[in-house]
Amino acid sequence: VFGPGEEALAKLAAGAAVTYFLEEEGETHFDPDFSFAALGDYLSPVPLLPVTATRGCYWRRCLFCPEASAPTHPFRALQPEQVPSLLRDLSRRYGARHFHLTDNALPVPVLSALSSRSAQMDGLTWHGFARFEEALCDAELARGLAKGGCRMLQLGLESASPPVLERLGKGTRPQVAARILENLKKAGIATYVYVLLGTPGETQDDAEATRAFLEEHAGVISFLNLAIMNLPRGSQMLDDPERFGIAAAEPLPETEPLGLYRTFTPAGGWGREEVRRFLQRRLLTTPDIRAIVRRTPPAFTSNHAFLFADLLSTVEDRLC
C-alpha cells in the first residue's frame, strides 16, 4: 500500500482485498475527526493531536527518501492562512492544547502563516518537521513561530558535506543550516536534528565534516538522531550507480517482495561497518555531541521530545 493508508485500511477492515492503493485525484480533507479517541487514555502527559497541513512532500528531490521514489500521492496543501484556525477549532472540539504537525515538511507559506498569525493561536503549542529553508534565517519569522506556539522543529541536516548534499538532491547548505539553528535557539525553539551517515559516495572526509559541524554547533542543537542510510528500493541512485558511488546493489530477495530497501556495496569501500565504527569511535566520543545524544529521549524519541525540550529550557534558565 503506497501513499496515505486510511482508505486502504478502511477497505481491509470491511473485508475487501487490497493489494495496491494509490490515492486518486480528488478533494483532500484536512479536518480530522478525533471523536472516537479517549485522549486521557493515551500514554502522554498531555493530550496531543496529530494534524497535517499538507499531504505529500513539496520538495520530493531527496534521492535517499522513499517519498521521492515511491508512487505516492501528489502534493496537496491546506490554504496556509487556514492552519491556525484549524488548530483552534480542533482544540475547542477535543480539548487538546498541543499539536504534532505530521507533514513531511511544513512549507514556508504555512510557517509564515503560523508566525504572522501568532496572536490567533490562543496559547496553543505545536511541533513538526521543516526543511532548512533560508526563510528560517529571518529572526522575525522565528520569533513569530515561537510566539505562536512552536516548541520544536525537526530538521533533516543529513550531512554537512556540500558534495554529499548536492549528490543527494537535498537542496540545503551547511552555512544556512548553521544560521537557522542559531536563529531558532535565540527564539527559544528547540531543534531535533537528523543526520544520515553512509550515503552512497560519502567518504570519511565527508563524515568528518559532519562531525565537525555538529561539534561546532552543539550549543544550538537540542536533540540528535544519528542514523546509517538504508537505500530505498526505487531510489534514482540505482539508475546510475556509478555516478553515486555504488559498486553493486543486491537484488531484492524473493522472500521479501515488499522489501523497502536495497543492500548496496559502496565503490569507495566506505560501507556500513566503517560507518558504524566512525559513529561509535568518532561521533559518540566527541564530548559535545555525546552530551546531545544523552539528553535525546531514548524511548519516545522525536514524538515526545517537545516535552523534554520544555524541561531542558527550564534547566538552562535556572543555570543562567
Side-chain angles (χ1 to χ4, degrees), residues 132 155-161 174 177-178 181 191-197 206-227 278-279 282-284 286-293 295:
F132 277 109
L155 298 149
L157 175 68
E158 320 312 349
S159 173
S161 167
L181 291 170
T191 52
Y192 201 110
V193 176
Y194 291 74
V195 172
L196 191 61
L197 299 167
D206 293 323
E208 277 290 350
T210 301
R211 189 204 63 79
F213 180 96
L214 296 178
E215 182 178 25
E216 181 180 355
H217 303 290
V220 292
I221 298 174
S222 306
F223 306 108
L224 265 177
N225 183 85
L226 301 173
F278 179 87
L279 178 61
R282 288 291 291 153
L283 270 177
L284 295 179
T286 301
D288 290 341
I289 298 175
R290 186 172 67 247
I292 303 174
V293 173
R295 67 170 174 255

Side-chain angles (χ1 to χ4, degrees), residues 152-169:
M152 184 180 76
L153 286 180
Q154 298 156 266
L155 298 149
L157 175 68
E158 320 312 349
S159 173
S161 167
V164 170
L165 293 172
E166 182 177 355
R167 190 162 52 245
L168 295 178

Side-chain angles (χ1 to χ4, degrees), residues 130-146:
R131 284 174 45 78
F132 277 109
E133 296 282 9
E134 196 155 356
L136 286 170
C137 293
D138 183 349
E140 185 176 351
L141 174 65
R143 285 194 296 268
L145 288 172

Side-chain angles (χ1 to χ4, degrees), residues 9 23 45 64 68 108 118 150 155 281:
L9 182 59
E23 185 179 44
F64 61 86
V108 171
S118 58
C150 180
L155 298 149
R281 299 177 185 179

